[in-house]
Amino acid sequence: MYDVIIIGAGIVGTTIARELSKSKAKVLILEKGIDVSMGATKANSAIVHGGFAEKHEALKGRLCYKGRVQFKELDRQLNFGFEETGSLVITTEDDRAPLEKLMENGIRNGLDDLSIIGSEEIQRIEPELTHDVKWALYCKGAGICSPYEMAIAMAENAIKNGVTLKLENKVSGIEKIDDTFKVTTDKGEYEARYVINAAGIYSDEISRMVGVDNFRILPRSGEYILFTRGTGDPINTVIFQLPTKFGKGVLVASTYYGNLLIGPDANDDVAKEDTSTHIDRIANIFDQTKSLYGKINSKQFIRSFTGIRARSSTDDFIIEETEVKGFINVAGIQSPGLTSAPAIADMVIGILKDAGLEWEDNRNFDPYRKPVVTKKPLKPLKDIKEFIELPLGSKDRIVCRCEQVREDEIVDALHRGIKVKTVDGVKRRTRAGMGWCQGEFCKPRVIEIMEREYGEKIDPAFDIEHSGVNRVQKSDLVDYLKSLEEE
């Protein structure tokens, strides 16, 4: 018998779980996937938004900034990777009015670090941008993070502090009997006094299991293009175009590790599980970005990916105890859901307390989690050749030559309270496989470490099946992008 069951182990579910682990409540996370952060959390822009774009009247407008200001301290405790870079919303028009409207909204949302700057200041901050840019809204405190590492860190720390995580448990039914919920999955039955629905794109289906049918999740897909490490170094901030009804538009940013990232677009005609990518959509993103930033080199492309956003029919976050007492919906968490996650967790704790959860502090709560890997400059291949060639089991052996990930780092990632069943899972924890060759070299080397550490065979086909991606072939896309550049 648990006090709280959380359905969903994305950034929202894991952040709520970690916050609950500060109490003595008995908490269970149920996740249908093979790992945490398998949905939108691992396929998004990785932006810690300023908090000015969402209307103050919307819940997401009021929570974004409250979440953003917690990132520095959370990263200090959990070491998931966060950098305050600032952001620019740019326009090539002489009209400042749309930017002034955004700034006014941001001030209503609590921001105190906004300013409108002209072309001279824009060029000082972003010298590589097109000189056609006239005005920009600058937000000093916006930034970038590693979202899947953040969710993994939240989950690991929650488990360390007493939370139970059960993966590969797909919820099939929820029944309330007196003051207790019985949650049925394909692996068993679990009971709790409270249930938190943080199931992302499936949150409407989970809600209907208890008879609450007051919203729908309308999936929206967004495709991205990622370039090799170092290509993002000339970009100093997160660069947005003026937002439209479809979102914040195609952005240009450097990831936390220095990869140029461009995208996303927006498509509402999509199924919940459709994470395929398409040459025509990617080419459109590429073309839009070239007009802003001319130094994109198609030969440095390494992968494309698609994220599915859990847009609700209310077009806002849904965070509330429902008419079924003890059942709390945390649904429709699209952008800026990552940024808002810490504030969402705070709000959910308040709802639980109001609903009757007796809060007793966990005096043994440890907020700290050591990093698995840290951001470091890459050495020339000739300088690491001897470490690459070391035999399995050597202390200083480099397993992934592109990202220069050591064997001891991979071993560490495998023994942190969550069994990692796929190479894709190792990649998200260590970056092994995220480099130029996209795992062609290191995948078999990672598998042999996993097999040694876990004492069981790893099936490469199983890894592909559970990676959750369906991408355009790299060679096909490179050829297509090159043809666009030549036109």
Side-chain angles (χ1 to χ4, degrees):
M1 177 72 172
Y2 293 90
D3 294 304
V4 183
I5 289 177
I6 301 169
I7 301 172
I11 188 61
V12 173
T14 55
T15 303
I16 294 169
R18 196 252 184 175
E19 197 64 25
L20 274 169
S21 73
K22 295 177 180 178
S23 77
K24 289 189 176 181
K26 191 176 181 184
V27 180
L28 169 67
I29 310 173
L30 294 174
E31 165 58 45
K32 73 179 183 66
I34 201 166
D35 201 354
V36 302
S37 73
M38 289 297 288
T41 300
K42 76 167 187 175
N44 62 70
S45 305
I47 306 305
V48 181
H49 289 283
F52 51 80
E54 290 70 35
K55 293 181 179 179
H56 180 71
E57 293 75 18
L59 183 56
K60 57 186 176 182
R62 300 193 299 276
L63 290 182
C64 184
Y65 177 68
K66 291 180 180 178
R68 187 247 281 187
V69 295
Q70 297 186 47
F71 268 72
K72 278 186 181 179
E73 178 60 19
L74 286 171
D75 183 47
R76 187 186 71 80
Q77 295 174 354
L78 298 174
N79 294 289
F80 52 80
F82 165 69
E83 186 175 351
E84 188 179 276
T85 61
S87 69
L88 295 172
V89 181
I90 61 173
T91 179
T92 57
E93 304 295 329
D94 286 324
D95 184 10
R96 292 175 33 149
L99 297 179
E100 289 171 350
K101 188 175 180 180
L102 275 179
M103 183 172 175
E104 179 184 343
N105 188 68
I107 292 170
R108 289 186 70 199
N109 286 344
L111 279 70
D112 60 0
D113 57 354
L114 295 173
S115 59
I116 294 176
I117 59 176
S119 58
E120 186 175 327
E121 182 68 5
I122 295 167
Q123 288 299 318
R124 186 190 68 78
I125 295 172
E126 292 289 3
E128 302 297 338
L129 264 191
T130 173
H131 291 267
D132 294 335
V133 177
K134 299 288 197 309
W135 299 101
L137 177 64
Y138 176 55
C139 178
K140 183 177 183 297
I144 53 174
C145 74
S146 182
Y148 39 85
E149 286 186 77
M150 183 177 176
I152 290 165
M154 289 287 184
E156 288 180 355
N157 190 245
I159 290 167
K160 178 181 180 181
N161 286 296
V163 170
T164 300
L165 169 68
K166 290 187 180 293
L167 300 169
E168 298 180 272
N169 268 260
K170 183 178 180 180
V171 174
S172 57
I174 306 172
E175 181 182 6
K176 188 172 186 185
I177 305 169
D178 297 326
D179 292 330
T180 301
F181 289 94
K182 182 174 74 173
V183 180
T184 302
T185 76
D186 53 357
K187 296 293 175 62
E189 295 180 349
Y190 310 94
E191 293 184 343
R193 291 180 58 212
Y194 302 93
V195 172
I196 297 170
N197 172 19
I201 57 173
Y202 296 101
S203 55
D204 54 348
E205 298 174 30
I206 296 296
S207 184
R208 288 198 293 272
M209 290 180 185
V210 296
V212 177
D213 189 16
N214 57 357
F215 69 94
R216 289 285 185 276
I217 294 298
L218 310 172
R220 172 177 286 168
S221 73
E223 299 195 19
Y224 297 83
I225 313 176
L226 188 69
F227 296 83
T228 189
R229 189 163 172 174
T231 53
D233 291 346
I235 301 297
N236 299 310
T237 61
V238 179
I239 303 165
F240 298 100
Q241 299 175 67
L242 276 169
T244 70
K245 64 180 181 178
F246 293 108
K248 301 178 182 68
V250 172
L251 62 85
V252 181
S254 174
T255 69
Y256 179 72
Y257 292 97
N259 303 77
L260 178 66
L261 178 70
I262 61 176
D265 61 357
N267 181 11
D268 292 344
D269 184 20
V270 64
K272 286 184 175 181
E273 292 285 355
D274 185 6
T275 57
S276 58
T277 57
H278 310 83
I279 281 184
D280 57 339
R281 290 175 62 181
I282 292 170
N284 186 47
I285 292 168
F286 184 79
D287 192 48
Q288 286 185 59
T289 309
K290 287 281 283 187
S291 65
L292 298 174
Y293 175 59
K295 289 195 171 183
I296 304 175
N297 183 349
S298 61
K299 295 178 182 179
Q300 295 174 312
F301 160 82
I302 56 173
R303 70 178 294 177
S304 61
F305 64 92
T306 294
I308 305 294
R309 310 166 208 176
R311 179 173 59 104
S312 76
S313 53
T314 69
D315 199 32
D316 197 3
F317 295 167
I318 300 166
I319 307 171
E320 61 188 10
E321 183 181 23
T322 67
E323 61 196 39
V324 180
K325 297 301 182 185
F327 186 87
I328 299 166
N329 273 328
V330 186
I333 312 297
Q334 60 169 322
S335 180
L338 170 65
T339 310
S340 304
I344 291 171
D346 291 339
M347 184 174 177
V348 170
I349 297 302
I351 292 171
L352 282 168
K353 289 179 178 179
D354 290 343
L357 177 69
E358 294 182 7
W359 186 278
E360 184 179 352
D361 287 341
N362 175 6
R363 297 183 183 279
N364 296 318
F365 175 76
D366 182 354
Y368 299 105
R369 175 251 190 194
K370 292 191 300 183
V372 177
V373 294
T374 55
K375 185 167 64 172
K376 55 185 181 292
L378 299 180
K379 297 178 181 178
L381 192 59
K382 62 181 178 64
D383 293 347
I384 62 169
K385 189 173 184 294
E386 63 177 300
F387 300 104
I388 296 171
E389 295 173 349
L390 289 171
L392 177 68
S394 300
K395 180 177 179 293
D396 297 319
R397 178 178 181 240
I398 290 178
V399 177
C400 172
R401 63 187 178 189
C402 296
E403 290 292 326
Q404 299 178 13
V405 181
R406 301 191 312 271
E407 182 173 324
D408 64 319
E409 292 171 323
I410 293 172
V411 172
D412 178 23
L414 297 176
H415 299 288
R416 284 180 167 239
I418 304 172
K419 187 172 184 181
V420 186
K421 293 188 176 182
T422 64
V423 176
D424 183 66
V426 172
K427 177 175 71 175
R428 284 181 286 111
R429 288 163 170 83
T430 67
R431 294 191 59 78
M434 285 195 177
W436 181 260
C437 79
Q438 288 290 284
E440 290 294 324
F441 175 78
C442 68
K443 184 172 183 176
R445 294 158 68 92
V446 171
I447 287 175
E448 67 180 351
I449 295 170
M450 295 173 72
E451 290 180 340
R452 182 194 66 197
E453 292 300 308
Y454 288 152
E456 56 190 59
K457 295 294 290 181
I458 302 296
D459 182 0
F462 178 84
D463 186 83
I464 294 171
E465 178 186 351
H466 288 84
S467 64
V469 294
N470 179 17
R471 292 189 297 274
V472 172
Q473 288 296 313
K474 177 179 175 179
S475 58
D476 293 341
L477 185 55
V478 169
D479 290 343
Y480 190 77
L481 295 180
K482 282 172 64 179
S483 71
L484 288 179
E485 288 182 318
E486 291 166 1
E487 289 179 359

